[in-house]
Amino acid sequence: MVACTNDDVLDNPVENPALKGNSYLSVNLSMGNPTSRATQPEAFDNGTTEEAAVKDNNVIFLFYDAAGNYVTDGTIQYYSDGNTTPAAGSDLVWNVNSNGTNIERDANPVIVLGPTKVAPAKVIAILNNNSLANTCKGKNMSATQDLITNTTNYITDTGFVMSNSTYVKDEAVVYASDIAPEQICESAEDALLNPVNIYVERVAAKITWKFGDDIEGHMEENMFLMNSGTATGEYMVNGALTQLRVEIYGVKPNAYNETSSLVKKIGTGTYFESWNSAANYRSYWAEDANYTGV
C-alpha cells in the first residue's frame, strides 16, 4: 500500500479539461476513390452516389489510447455549419471533389465523445454497419484489426461498409488516425478549428471489366464476330462459309472471398512497397484473410 500527501500528487499527462463535461472532436472525413490497384494513379474515378451513401446514424467512431486500449466511442452530432445532425436516417453530407485526386468526397462532422476519463490518442471509423462496429466496442485496437467476418456483411441495406484506410508511412502501418490533446475541446466551435483527418475506404472492392482489344474492334451492339484468322473472318459450318457471332448474356467473377478483414491488414515488407502510396493514404494491396502470409 502507498500513501502520499498533496505535495506528492503528480500531474496526469492525459488529463484534458474537455473530459470534465461534454467533449467534442471535429473530423475531416475523407473517402478514397474505389480504384483497387495503383497501376494507373492518374486515372482515379469517383464512385457513384449510391456507392458513397452513408447514413448519419450509421457512423461510429472507436477511440483508443496511445497503447491501443479501448477508451470510448462517439457519434456524429454536428456539422461544420454548427447545426445539429438531421433526423436519424438522414444522409451524411459529403462534399464531392471533381479534381481527379485520390479523395473523391469529404465531410466535416463534429463528434461528441462518450464518457471517458482518459483522453483518446487514436480513432477508427466504421461506416454503414453498426452491428460490426458494436462488436468492437470495449476491445483493444488489435482485436478490431484482427476481426474477420463474412463478406456479405460488407454490403448492407444502408450502403457499402467502410473503415479507416490502411497504408504504410515512415516504415510503419497506419491503422488509425492520431489525435492530439488540443483537438479534444469543450465546444464544437473550438473543435472545428483543429480537426482530425480520417481517411476511409470501402471494405468491398469494386471491379471493372471490358472486352479485350482484339474483340472490341469486332463488336456490334452486344455481339462480337469470331476472328478466324483469315482475311474474311469466315468459318465453315455444315460445309458452308459462315460468319459466327457470339452474344454476351452477362459476366460474373468466377470466385470471391467469403471472409475478409474489417480493417485491411498489410505488411511493411518489400511485397507491399510497390502497392503503397502514403501520399494517397492508400495501400492498393492487402493480406488475404483466407491464406497465411501474403
Side-chain angles (χ1 to χ4, degrees):
M1 298 182 66
V2 178
C4 64
T5 67
N6 289 337
D7 294 334
D8 298 325
V9 175
L10 300 177
D11 290 333
N12 186 349
V14 296
E15 185 176 354
N16 187 305
L19 298 179
K20 296 177 181 179
N22 284 337
S23 303
Y24 298 86
L25 186 76
S26 175
V27 169
N28 283 333
L29 197 62
S30 300
M31 181 191 304
N33 75 72
T35 304
S36 60
R37 293 192 179 189
T39 52
Q40 292 180 307
E42 75 284 356
F44 290 132
D45 293 320
N46 288 351
T48 65
T49 301
E50 291 75 15
E51 291 164 350
V54 179
K55 300 295 183 183
D56 288 317
N57 57 346
N58 286 328
V59 183
I60 292 180
F61 300 89
L62 305 171
F63 295 93
Y64 308 88
D65 64 16
N69 299 305
Y70 179 82
V71 172
T72 188
D73 64 275
T75 57
I76 295 174
Q77 298 294 328
Y78 303 90
Y79 286 108
S80 56
D81 60 5
N83 295 326
T84 57
T85 300
S90 298
D91 291 330
L92 180 67
V93 180
W94 290 110
N95 301 308
V96 180
N97 299 322
S98 58
N99 55 6
T101 65
N102 176 62
I103 304 303
E104 67 172 52
R105 286 172 172 82
D106 59 68
N108 190 208
V110 177
I111 306 161
V112 176
L113 301 183
T116 176
K117 295 182 179 180
V118 178
K122 295 180 180 295
V123 57
I124 290 178
I126 299 177
L127 288 61
N128 279 338
N129 197 318
N130 289 354
S131 296
L132 277 178
N134 288 333
T135 64
C136 299
K137 293 181 180 180
K139 298 179 180 178
N140 60 32
M141 193 165 67
S142 296
T144 299
Q145 294 168 3
D146 292 339
L147 180 63
I148 297 174
T149 185
N150 191 290
T151 53
T152 57
N153 294 328
Y154 296 140
I155 303 177
T156 69
D157 292 339
T158 56
F160 286 82
V161 176
M162 307 176 204
S163 61
N164 275 46
S165 183
T166 302
Y167 56 97
V168 177
K169 181 179 181 181
D170 299 330
E171 300 182 355
V173 180
V174 178
Y175 287 109
S177 298
D178 292 330
I179 302 171
E182 61 269 20
Q183 291 176 306
I184 302 172
C185 304
E186 296 184 58
S187 69
E189 291 74 19
D190 289 341
L192 285 166
L193 299 176
N194 194 6
V196 174
N197 293 317
I198 302 180
Y199 299 92
V200 297
E201 58 185 344
R202 301 174 186 86
V203 177
K206 179 180 179 180
I207 62 173
T208 303
W209 68 274
K210 68 174 185 176
F211 290 114
D213 293 337
D214 56 336
I215 294 178
E216 191 71 37
H218 299 279
M219 288 293 293
E220 291 182 1
E221 295 181 351
N222 62 331
M223 299 186 186
F224 67 88
L225 306 179
M226 293 289 290
N227 186 354
S228 66
T230 67
T232 59
E234 295 173 329
Y235 286 81
M236 293 294 295
V237 178
N238 294 331
L241 284 173
T242 305
Q243 194 175 53
L244 300 184
R245 298 169 184 265
V246 178
E247 183 175 359
I248 304 299
Y249 285 94
V251 294
K252 64 181 295 185
N254 70 328
Y256 62 91
N257 281 343
E258 294 183 353
T259 55
S260 183
S261 302
L262 175 62
V263 178
K264 186 168 61 183
K265 182 175 293 186
I266 62 176
T268 58
T270 56
Y271 185 86
F272 291 94
E273 286 179 356
S274 59
W275 298 106
N276 186 75
S277 176
N280 287 331
Y281 313 99
R282 291 290 298 277
S283 169
Y284 300 88
W285 207 251
E287 293 184 6
D288 191 329
N290 299 287
Y291 298 90
T292 57
V294 300

